[in-house]
Amino acid sequence: MIHIITGSTLGGAEYVGDHLDDLLTEQGLETTVHNQPALEEIPPQGTWLVITSTHGAGEYPDNIKPFIEAIQATPPNTAELKFAVIAIGDSSYDTFCAAGQHAYDLLEDIGATPISDCLTIDVLQQAVPEDAAETWLEEHLSAFS
């Protein structure tokens, strides 16, 4: 099972999550999208695909903040968990993709296995973040099987 976990303020990360959900489903893979993620509802097995923007001064969007705080407060057993993080940001800010990079570091620190390095998407370079995410997915699709 692939759990697509989004952190979004204006909807961009949700659009990317929905697009990747469609692509993964087309490949015959089982997915679930969590736009209001709650740690108690997402088992720490299979694959977590975290897609988040960065809000304000390097912070998480409000919808994913409780999920991240729960992981920090009581880290789950991640022995059977693979993960990938897609961070969406604006490189004109000094906190470019800080939330996504933090999520990547946090999941790695608690023992989950990364599928790839953290993908950073700069909205100044990629007007349609879904395109960059799709290219990344094509390169890493075998890791989701």
Side-chain angles (χ1 to χ4, degrees):
M1 170 66 81
I2 301 165
H3 294 276
I4 300 171
I5 301 162
T6 66
S8 193
T9 301
L10 301 175
E14 289 180 12
Y15 295 142
V16 171
D18 289 342
H19 183 62
L20 296 184
D21 177 51
D22 290 343
L23 295 173
L24 290 163
T25 301
E26 286 173 10
Q27 295 295 317
L29 299 171
E30 189 177 354
T31 63
T32 303
V33 177
H34 304 273
N35 291 328
Q36 294 294 325
L39 184 58
E40 64 274 6
E41 297 173 4
I42 306 172
Q45 293 100 22
T47 303
W48 288 3
L49 175 53
V50 178
I51 304 165
T52 188
S53 60
T54 297
H55 179 70
E59 306 199 8
Y60 287 97
D62 289 341
N63 72 305
I64 197 172
K65 200 177 295 185
F67 175 77
I68 296 296
E69 290 170 350
I71 292 172
Q72 290 174 310
T74 310
N77 179 342
T78 59
E80 299 177 29
L81 180 64
K82 296 188 300 183
F83 76 94
V85 175
I86 297 175
I88 303 169
D90 178 331
S91 62
S92 67
Y93 290 90
D94 60 356
T95 56
F96 174 64
C97 290
Q101 189 60 58
H102 178 268
Y104 183 94
D105 294 343
L106 173 63
L107 291 171
E108 193 171 41
D109 286 349
I110 64 170
T113 303
I115 287 173
S116 75
D117 291 337
C118 181
L119 172 66
T120 57
I121 298 175
D122 183 356
V123 296
L124 296 181
Q125 302 294 319
Q126 289 282 338
V128 182
E130 292 93 325
D131 293 345
E134 182 173 340
T135 299
W136 172 87
L137 181 63
E138 290 168 358
E139 294 170 6
H140 296 90
L141 189 59
S142 62
F144 287 90
S145 303

